[in-house]
Amino acid sequence: MKYMMKRVVDSGIGKLAQVPGYQVGGKSGTANIATPTGYLDAYNSSFVGVAPLNAPRLTVLVIVNNPKGAILGSAVAAPVVQEILSKSLNYMKIQKTEEVDEKEDFVSVPEVEGLLLEDAGKILLKSGLRFNTNAEGVENYSVVINQSPSQGSYVIKNTIVDLAINDKDSGILIMPNLSRKSRKEVESILNSMNIEYNIKGNGDFISQSPRAGKKLSGDETVTINYSKRDDEEVLNEENSKINNGVNANNKNSTEENSNNKKNSLINKGNNVKKEK
C-alpha cells in the first residue's frame, strides 16, 4: 500500500504533494456530494498525504467541499496537503530522508490573489510557473480571487497554478490592485468596470480606495492617488517618448534605404553580367 501511495506522488497525479527531501505517499479522491434524494452536480475533492513514508510521522487529510474551477482532488487538495506537510516537517525538525535532486528545480509559489489576471500571469511566468483558469469571459478588470497551490508552497518548476477569477459571467465586481498600472491603464480598467472614479496627481502610484480585493456594489467612487509632478517634467517625458519613436522610425528608414542600395548594386551587377 505504501509503495502504491509513493508512486501516486512520485510519478502519478499527486505530484503537487511532493515535499523536497522527504518520501511522501498520497491518494486523491473526487466524488459527487450525496443527499437523501440523490447526488448533486457538485463535488467533494480530497487528498491524503503521509510523510516521511519510510517512517510515518504525519498524516494529513484535506477535503474541499464544492470547489470552484478545478474539481480533482489531486489539483485542489494536494497542494494544500503539500503546504501543511512542508511547514509541519520543518516545524517539527524532522530530518530529511531523501537527497534533494538538484536537477529538478523547485520554486516557491508567489502570492497573486487580489491582482489583475494579467499581472498575476506575468509574475507566475517570471517565477518559472504556468497558470490556468477555467473562466471564459475574461475582462481587463478580472481579479484573481483564489489560487492553488497557495502562496509559499514549494513546487516543481513549470507547475500549473490554477487561478479562480471574477469573470464576466460571475456578476461579481472586485476592486483590483492598480499599483502596477499607469494612469492611462487605470482609466481604461475603471471605465470597463463602469464605475465612478477620481484620479489625483500625475506621478508615481501612492494609494487607492477602496482597497484591492474588496467586493464592490458598483455605486462606489474609486479614488486613485499619484504623486505630483510639475508640468515641465511630464512634458519632457512625453517628448522623450515621441523622440524615441521618431528615432526608431529613422533607424528603420535608414536600414530600409541601406537594403535598397544593396539591392540596387546587386541588380547592376546582374545587368553587367548579362551584357557580357
Side-chain angles (χ1 to χ4, degrees), residues 190-208:
L190 294 177
N191 285 331
S192 297
M193 293 173 70
N194 194 27
I195 195 167
E196 295 290 328
Y197 61 87
N198 181 23
I199 300 179
K200 302 175 181 178
N202 55 2
D204 297 324
F205 179 91
I206 296 177
S207 64
Q208 65 177 70

Side-chain angles (χ1 to χ4, degrees), residues 116-128:
L116 289 161
L117 179 60
E118 179 186 7
D119 294 331
K122 289 178 181 177
I123 291 172
L124 291 172
L125 291 174
K126 189 176 180 181
S127 299

Side-chain angles (χ1 to χ4, degrees), residues 26-47:
K27 178 67 178 73
S28 68
T30 307
N32 288 91
I33 297 174
T35 69
T37 57
Y39 291 93
L40 300 178
D41 187 20
Y43 300 87
N44 278 326
S45 303
S46 63
F47 194 92

Side-chain angles (χ1 to χ4, degrees), residues 159-254:
T159 290
I160 296 174
V161 178
D162 289 312
L163 303 178
I165 64 170
N166 63 322
D167 61 358
K168 186 177 182 180
D169 300 325
S170 69
I172 301 173
L173 203 59
I174 296 177
M175 183 64 195
N177 184 330
L178 299 173
S179 63
R180 300 171 181 270
K181 298 299 180 183
S182 67
R183 177 171 177 145
K184 187 175 181 180
E185 289 172 324
V186 167
E187 290 176 350
S188 175
I189 291 167
L190 294 177
N191 285 331
S192 297
M193 293 173 70
N194 194 27
I195 195 167
E196 295 290 328
Y197 61 87
N198 181 23
I199 300 179
K200 302 175 181 178
N202 55 2
D204 297 324
F205 179 91
I206 296 177
S207 64
Q208 65 177 70
S209 178
R211 61 175 176 78
K214 183 178 180 180
K215 276 189 178 182
L216 303 177
S217 65
D219 298 326
E220 299 89 346
T221 297
V222 173
T223 301
I224 308 294
N225 292 308
Y226 289 92
S227 61
K228 292 183 179 180
R229 293 191 298 175
D230 55 49
D231 294 337
E232 184 177 352
E233 186 179 351
V234 175
L235 183 61
N236 288 337
E237 184 177 314
E238 291 177 351
N239 288 335
S240 176
K241 290 180 180 178
I242 293 171
N243 290 334
N244 288 336
V246 170
N247 290 335
N249 289 332
N250 289 338
K251 182 180 179 182
N252 292 334
S253 178
T254 301

